[in-house]
């Protein structure tokens, strides 16, 4: 097998080139090739310096994540980086694309760094539940200072070449098209000098920043092990020698690597990329052109959906039935953009540009030239059918007709058109301009190229898209149902809203079922008849407890929307429980987990059995990106694998639930839903 590393000599400088598509991950063959290049540099007296560069779209984007958990192949990255650093001849890293993780650590092992202006440099390991294990936590505080190092390690966010140059991480910003020449010139200038070694530089900056940063970000880091471990290592760089610091880093790295949080986060890294792939459809299928989008409905959803396309530079025609609503909708979009501009996210001229791409209209006929039309109107089958009937007459041939429905039958909607092959669901999550998830719902007759185009456009607008089949609530909302139902049942048996919510928040969810209800509106889907009281929810709605918007729901809220438990709600619950003949008892937190989370896994198993989701990891992606399931638990199906599917099945049976066939199989065979990472 040919090595991904090749070398070439130019004017006494060894040019070492990696060609390991797609992202030049530092797998075993790359590491071995780099070690061989170092042998060459050391043994050939004619060679005076070296430049390390990469072919393709990026400099090394990190260690090869697929090697994690497998037996290590020498040289391991820290060994290789140490060899680079100890070289007696100067070595320059020539950086383009993204120098990430082990890639940036390799560059830190080099003595100097030259980067193109568009390059990004970062240590994203924390996003995989890890820390830079190739000396990054020890060399970054020495090269770039404690503040930059702490922030980069604990957040994983990359910095630009310009910023990197400001903090000393990059020695020279090269021309965008002259990287190799500039790096060679830099290396030539260093010939004969003693190389500057990152590890020998003194740590600089304010050590107090580390604790301050941890405190300021405590909320963001809640539940995660890796951010604190990253900061502990940066602290070690302050307190220990390089050798001791590296040993400490290794120890902390291995702890994280063996833990379930990192396994969960690595699972999600691959799951997110896998979700884009549609079983049975070739990657190179010809896509339909989407140059102009139509959105029907300028309410919260329609407005949010439109913003995604405007931000991607795609013109949007937005339709409303009444001028007043149209004006209000367009006004909200403008206000949102202005607010973002005030925070520095956009320049004012960008806002004008985006607003210039928006064409508001009262006429559905104006959608005739759109390539993709997304309906985001009232969630009612008859209303939707009427709209799709109209669209069928108006839309140009080949236009994709999408519904943003969150529950309804796409096949029924498609059936009123003469072109069901062009119809599918595009279920955005609220707020649609913020939430990353998009469920793309494949109807029985949806054409392959229509589905593939919707997935591609989702990527273009920065969404993580998952293919779902037709069923009530698709993947996400369907799994929400048993959770909400059991949460209500538990109330009747003696649990309180605050106890149930606390179990969910302690689990790592952003909020519990009742907090979510209050935020979304307790009155969503309510029949609107205060005299008709058939459930606790009816009773709450009847007395105006519609959630945060009315200052009271399952909780009471003060003017700052801080919740407190409500005696009125408890009285309503007690009343219902008594009427239903329920004797109240103490409910354990464990029972809440079993009845509200195990039931979700059970529903997930049914979804897989029915083929509504293509794969278990897709279910996990839906829950991570659509509902805030804690990423360090890897999504419901990965969590079930870790928890043990036999335990989940037994827990469900204990409470009298019917265990899904697929879950039963996994339980009996001690099998998994997801691939081990
Ligand atoms: N190892 C193995 N495979 C990787 C990889 C890595 N580090 N990074 C990306 N890939 C794979 C992806 O899985 C994907 O595979 P697929 O085509 O089969 O689905 C392919 O490369 C292309 O990746 P993307 O679709 O993500 O491509 P983009 O162009 O959108 O993004 C990127 C490129 C910004 C480099 C992005 O892939 C990325 O963020 N990668 C991860 C970077 C990272 O986390 N590095 C740290 C690794 S851990 C480490 O270095 C430990 C060390 O400290 C010891």
């Amino acid at each position: 097998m040919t090595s991904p590393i090749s070398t070439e000599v130019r004017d006494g400088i060894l040019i070492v080139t990696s060609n390991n598509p797609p992202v030049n991950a530092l797998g075993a063959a790359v590491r071995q090739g780099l070690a061989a290049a170092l042998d060459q540099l050391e043994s050939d007296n004619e060679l005076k310096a070296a430049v390390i560069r990469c072919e393709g779209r990026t400099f090394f984007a990190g260690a090869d994540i697929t090697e994690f958990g497998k037996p290590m192949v020498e040289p391991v990255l820290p060994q290789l980086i140490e060899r680079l650093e100890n070289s007696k001849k100067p070595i320059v890293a020539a950086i383009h694309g993204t120098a990430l993780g082990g890639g940036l650590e390799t560059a830190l092992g080099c003595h100097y760094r030259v980067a193109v202006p568009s390059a990004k440099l970062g240590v994203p390991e924390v996003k995989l539940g890890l820390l830079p294990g190739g000396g990054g936590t020890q060399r970054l505080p020495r090269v770039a200072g404690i503040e930059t190092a702490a922030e980069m390690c604990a957040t994983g966010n990359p910095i630009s070449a310009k910023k990197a140059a400001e903090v000393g991480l990059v020695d020279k910003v090269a021309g965008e098209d002259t990287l190799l020449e500039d790096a060679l010139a830099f290396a030539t200038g260093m010939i004969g000098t003693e190389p500057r070694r990152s590890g020998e530089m003194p740590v600089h900056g304010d050590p107090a920043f580390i604790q301050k940063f941890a405190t300021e970000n405590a909320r963001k880091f809640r539940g995660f092990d890796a951010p604190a471990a990253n900061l502990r290592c940066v602290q070690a760089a302050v307190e220990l020698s390089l050798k001791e610091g590296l040993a400490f880093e290794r120890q902390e790295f291995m702890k994280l690597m063996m833990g379930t949080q990192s396994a969960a986060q690595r699972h999600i890294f691959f799951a997110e990329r896998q979700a884009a792939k549609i079983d049975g459809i070739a990657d190179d299928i010809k896509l339909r052109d989407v140059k102009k989008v139509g959105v029907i409905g300028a309410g919260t959803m329609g407005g949010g959906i439109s913003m995604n396309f405007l931000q991607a530079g795609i013109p949007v025609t937005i339709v409303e039935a009444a001028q007043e609503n149209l004006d209000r909708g367009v006004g909200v979009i403008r206000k949102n953009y202005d607010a973002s501009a005030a925070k520095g996210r956009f320049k004012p001229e960008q806002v004008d540009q985006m607003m210039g791409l928006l064409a508001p209209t009262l006429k559905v006929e104006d959608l005739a030239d759109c390539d993709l039309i997304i309906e985001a109107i009232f969630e009612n089958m008859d209303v939707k059918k009427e709209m799709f009937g109209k669209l069928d007459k108006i839309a140009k041939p080949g236009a994709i007709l999408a519904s943003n429905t969150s529950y309804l039958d796409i096949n029924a909607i498609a059936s009123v058109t003469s072109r069901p092959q062009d119809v599918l669901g595009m279920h955005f999550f609220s707020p649609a301009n913020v939430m990353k998830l998009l469920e793309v719902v494949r109807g029985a007759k949806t054409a392959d190229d229509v589905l593939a185009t919707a997935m591609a456009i989702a990527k273009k607008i920065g969404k993580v898209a998952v293919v779902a089949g037709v069923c009530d609530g698709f993947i996400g909302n369907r799994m929400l149902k048993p959770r909400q139902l059991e949460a209500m049942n538990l109330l009747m048996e003696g649990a309180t809203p605050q106890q149930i919510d606390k179990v969910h928040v302690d689990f790592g969810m952003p909020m519990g079922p009742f907090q979510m209800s209050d935020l979304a509106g307790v009155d969503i889907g309510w029949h609107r008849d205060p005299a008709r009281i058939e459930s606790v929810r009816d009773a709450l709605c009847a007395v105006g407890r519609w959630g945060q918007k009315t200052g009271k729901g399952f909780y009471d809220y003060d003017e700052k929307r801080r919740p407190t438990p409500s005696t009125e709600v408890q009285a309503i619950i007690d009343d219902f429980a008594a009427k239903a003949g329920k004797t109240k008892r103490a409910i354990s937190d464990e029972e809440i987990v079993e009845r509200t989370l195990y039931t979700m896994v059970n529903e997930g198993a049914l979804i897989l059995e029915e083929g509504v989701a293509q794969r278990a990891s897709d279910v996990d992606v839906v829950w991570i990106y659509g509902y805030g399931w804690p990423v360090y638990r890897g999504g419901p199906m990965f969590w079930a694998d870790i928890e043990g599917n036999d335990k989940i099945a037994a827990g469900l049976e204990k409470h009298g639930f019917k265990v899904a066939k697929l879950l039963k199989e996994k339980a009996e065979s001690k099998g998994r839903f997801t691939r081990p990472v």
Side-chain angles (χ1 to χ4, degrees):
M1 212 174 78
T2 53
S3 169
I5 301 292
S6 60
T7 56
E8 172 198 340
V9 180
R10 219 185 277 178
D11 300 327
I13 298 175
L14 184 70
I15 304 174
V16 182
T17 300
S18 169
N19 189 358
N20 186 30
V23 297
N24 280 305
L26 284 148
V30 174
R31 296 194 306 273
Q32 285 159 355
L34 287 174
L38 272 173
D39 291 342
Q40 191 184 346
L41 179 68
E42 279 161 15
S43 61
D44 186 343
N45 288 338
E46 298 301 312
L47 296 174
K48 306 292 180 209
V51 167
I52 298 183
R53 63 180 289 274
C54 291
E55 281 294 343
R57 64 194 212 227
T58 179
F59 191 75
F60 306 111
D64 186 337
I65 309 169
T66 58
E67 286 183 353
F68 289 0
K70 297 189 184 140
M72 285 198 216
V73 179
E74 297 221 330
V76 292
L77 199 56
Q79 283 172 342
L80 180 69
I81 292 170
E82 203 177 319
R83 267 197 76 188
L84 283 170
E85 181 162 82
N86 290 335
S87 162
K88 296 199 168 50
K89 299 175 188 176
I91 305 177
V92 177
I95 300 171
H96 76 290
T98 42
L100 298 178
L104 182 57
E105 293 174 293
T106 300
L108 279 163
C110 297
H111 308 113
Y112 308 99
R113 289 156 293 280
V114 174
V116 294
S118 60
K120 292 234 173 343
L121 298 88
V123 273
E125 283 87 341
V126 71
K127 297 185 180 174
L128 298 170
L130 294 170
L131 53 82
T137 64
Q138 304 304 297
R139 291 191 179 91
L140 261 183
R142 290 175 159 84
V143 174
I146 294 170
E147 292 85 347
T148 304
E151 193 164 340
M152 284 177 77
C153 289
T155 65
N157 296 333
I159 60 173
S160 66
K162 183 166 166 268
K163 168 94 191 207
E166 277 164 24
V167 296
L169 184 53
V170 157
D171 297 286
K172 183 175 169 50
V173 178
E176 197 63 59
D177 303 317
T178 55
L179 178 61
L180 180 58
E181 290 76 8
D182 291 352
L184 284 169
F186 196 95
T188 305
M190 291 299 159
I191 288 176
T193 63
E194 181 63 20
R196 183 198 60 194
R197 298 185 174 87
S198 308
E200 289 172 359
M201 295 166 76
V203 173
H204 62 278
D206 178 13
F209 178 84
I210 301 172
Q211 187 50 50
K212 196 170 135 257
F213 189 73
T215 311
E216 278 168 11
N217 289 280
R219 233 184 111 133
K220 199 157 106 198
F221 297 158
R222 181 177 77 96
F224 288 90
D225 292 338
N230 270 276
L231 292 175
R232 275 199 299 278
C233 287
V234 176
Q235 183 73 40
V238 176
E239 291 166 3
L240 305 177
S241 69
L242 177 70
K243 191 161 170 251
E244 291 165 337
L246 288 173
F248 183 77
E249 179 194 89
R250 194 78 204 145
Q251 195 186 320
E252 292 276 321
F253 178 81
M254 291 316 289
K255 251 194 269 168
L256 291 175
M257 173 73 105
M258 307 310 285
T260 52
Q261 288 205 351
S262 175
Q265 289 177 258
R266 282 181 275 137
H267 161 70
I268 290 301
F269 177 86
F270 289 117
E272 183 185 328
R273 282 154 181 84
Q274 183 73 17
K277 301 188 170 101
I278 315 164
D279 290 345
I281 299 186
D283 284 346
D284 58 356
I285 186 169
K286 190 171 170 342
L287 304 179
R288 296 193 187 180
D289 252 0
V290 177
K291 293 214 176 74
K292 194 165 188 186
V293 171
V295 174
I296 311 174
T300 314
M301 277 321 278
I305 292 170
S306 304
M307 289 174 75
N308 291 298
F309 294 99
L310 300 176
Q311 275 155 240
I314 302 171
V316 174
T317 302
I318 189 165
V319 189
E320 250 300 344
Q323 187 67 47
E324 192 192 339
N325 295 344
L326 186 63
D327 292 345
R328 191 183 318 123
V330 173
V332 169
I333 296 178
R334 170 107 231 174
K335 215 174 89 199
N336 285 339
Y337 279 147
D338 284 343
S340 298
K343 286 187 203 139
R345 256 200 75 206
F346 299 118
K347 296 196 184 95
E349 57 269 27
Q350 276 177 303
V351 173
D352 290 340
Q353 236 166 38
M354 291 188 293
M355 291 307 290
L357 291 173
L358 183 66
T361 176
L362 295 174
K363 290 193 289 214
V364 187
E365 291 72 23
D366 289 347
L367 299 176
D369 63 346
C370 291
D371 306 300
L372 163 67
I373 301 172
I374 305 172
E375 161 278 308
I377 55 175
F378 190 57
E379 190 76 340
N380 173 290
M381 183 55 94
D382 293 338
V383 178
K384 302 236 186 224
K385 277 186 170 171
E386 195 191 326
M387 180 54 77
F388 273 76
K390 252 191 222 166
L391 284 180
D392 192 29
K393 296 195 181 73
I394 295 163
K396 67 179 183 188
I400 298 176
L401 309 181
S403 171
N404 177 50
T405 179
S406 40
Y407 286 95
L408 299 175
D409 183 347
I410 295 294
N411 294 331
I413 295 174
S415 73
V416 301
T417 72
S418 62
R419 39 175 137 177
Q421 73 280 1
D422 296 341
V423 178
L424 85 179
M426 286 178 83
H427 177 211
F428 289 80
F429 287 68
S430 187
N433 54 320
V434 177
M435 296 296 285
K436 294 269 283 179
L437 181 66
L438 180 69
E439 280 181 328
V440 176
V441 188
R442 180 185 206 166
K445 294 188 178 156
T446 306
D448 285 357
D449 64 335
V450 169
L451 185 66
T453 303
M455 295 298 281
I457 195 92
K459 185 162 186 190
K460 193 161 179 188
I461 61 172
K463 298 290 174 204
V464 178
V466 170
V467 178
V470 173
C471 69
D472 188 29
F474 315 125
I475 299 173
N477 283 341
R478 175 166 165 185
M479 285 170 72
L480 196 59
K481 255 193 184 162
R483 183 185 96 163
Q484 300 301 93
L485 184 69
E486 275 313 296
M488 288 306 286
N489 288 340
L490 282 159
L491 283 190
M492 304 286 278
E493 293 169 41
T496 60
Q498 48 279 17
Q499 184 194 2
I500 296 171
D501 283 344
K502 184 171 182 308
V503 168
H504 282 250
V505 172
D506 288 349
F507 183 82
M509 302 284 192
M511 61 189 99
F514 299 105
Q515 290 161 323
M516 185 169 140
S517 223
D518 276 2
L519 182 69
V522 183
D523 62 317
I524 291 184
W526 177 46
H527 47 59
R528 312 266 141 193
D529 178 1
R532 196 176 126 202
I533 296 178
E534 290 153 4
S535 66
V536 168
R537 198 182 67 148
D538 289 347
L540 296 186
C541 287
V543 293
R545 302 197 72 101
W546 294 9
Q548 288 196 15
K549 61 188 168 189
T550 56
K552 51 185 189 171
F554 282 94
Y555 296 87
D556 290 333
Y557 293 89
D558 64 13
E559 62 291 346
K560 285 195 173 147
R561 294 205 169 184
R562 280 175 304 209
T564 41
S566 156
T567 45
E568 183 179 39
V569 171
Q570 199 51 56
I572 290 173
I573 294 168
D574 291 348
D575 186 39
F576 263 87
K579 276 191 204 137
K582 302 258 182 203
T583 331
K584 291 182 77 173
R585 62 188 169 88
I587 307 270
S588 69
D589 289 356
E590 189 191 353
E591 179 170 348
I592 294 173
V593 168
E594 289 167 351
R595 288 175 57 183
T596 58
L597 297 180
Y598 286 15
T599 44
M600 284 178 60
V601 172
N602 204 31
E603 198 66 38
L606 283 173
I607 283 173
L608 289 169
E609 259 173 61
E610 293 167 20
V612 166
Q614 297 189 89
R615 45 188 95 89
S617 60
D618 282 6
V619 174
D620 287 344
V621 169
V622 165
W623 271 81
I624 297 278
Y625 288 105
Y627 301 83
W629 182 281
V631 61
Y632 56 80
R633 292 195 194 270
M637 307 319 283
F638 181 88
W639 174 69
D641 288 340
I642 296 292
E643 190 83 347
N645 287 305
D646 47 352
K647 185 176 163 198
I648 305 261
L652 287 164
E653 269 165 0
K654 184 169 84 187
H655 298 293
F657 295 104
K658 184 170 184 293
V659 179
K661 194 166 141 268
L662 188 62
L663 176 56
K664 212 175 237 164
E665 274 169 31
K666 302 285 179 200
E668 280 162 11
S669 65
K670 295 218 180 298
R672 299 175 55 114
F673 287 104
T674 63
R675 262 185 305 156
V677 276

